[in-house]
Amino acid sequence: MKIALLGYGKMGKIIEKIATDRKHEIVLKIDFDNLHELTAENLKQADVAIEFTTPSSVISNINVCFDAGVPVVVGTTGWYDQLDEIKQQCEDGNHTLLYATNFSVGVNIFFHVNKILAKLMNNYPYYEVQVEEIHHTQKLDSPSGTAITIAEGIIENLDAKKNWANVLVADGKDSDDNVGNSALLIESYRMDSVPGTHTVIYDSEVDSIEFKHTAHNRNGFALGAVLAAEWLNDNTGFHSINDMFNFDI
Ligand SMILES: NC(=O)c1ccc[n+]([C@@H]2O[C@H](COP(=O)([O-])OP(=O)(O)OC[C@H]3O[C@@H](n4cnc5c(N)ncnc54)[C@H](O)[C@@H]3O)[C@@H](O)[C@H]2O)c1
């Protein structure tokens, strides 16, 4: 496939390597220093675009892909308050988009088991649940998109939780966990060089159950994004990564 890379930062560079190893061709690379090259005309050379930029540029980049009629895989996080609007636009214009808060295969297995665990824990209301996420200090959004997906998976399945609240825990200071009983607390920590660690903790007076995913590097996210680009070759319309994995247990 001919791939356009929108964003050539940490993720864009790894995606380039994995895509070329899988015999794809990178026909366009857009970053901050050549933004003028991001035109619908230039994008039309590509079969698919892969977008890993910033929360402030992702929406206009999606729109250029729509204008060019090029399917787009969106990895950028921090724009989901506009998700419904983009979905509508995508469907109205017969465009193709796949987004994921996290493209790693392991994390998507984690998302699925997280839901099953939350459903099970309805029977044990004396456990209080909380989510923790740790990322590198350059991360712009908080909580992480992955933590939001984990929280939504719990809220959909655990009757006691109705919404989530986030606390960014600075410099090891204790979080303010005064978020109300029906809110699920997400604690965000920022530490040097951590690609992404997410833990769901069910805590009671007698014990704790911790369910944890640790990314060792960014390769898993990049591979998932390339697999999604390949999947869009045979699938059109608006999709989340759940449609690609389609777990049935
Ligand atoms: N969904 C996932 O699995 C996943 C995994 C890792 C990172 N992310 C997200 O992907 C995004 C990028 O992550 P990163 O680690 O590569 O960040 P990064 O800061 O290393 O790279 C972002 C790049 O985008 C460039 N950029 C800025 N504005 C642009 C524009 N208008 N058009 C094109 N490029 C532009 C910047 O110059 C930079 O090089 C972040 O939102 C991050 O949270 C998602």
Side-chain angles (χ1 to χ4, degrees), residues 9-11 31-32 35 52-53 57 75 77 100-103 139:
K10 291 184 283 296
M11 286 301 300
D31 205 75
F32 207 58
L35 291 180
F52 279 76
T53 63
S57 47
T77 55
T101 58
N102 195 310
F103 278 98
K139 185 161 179 62

Side-chain angles (χ1 to χ4, degrees), residues 7 117 141 222:
L117 179 60
D141 49 324

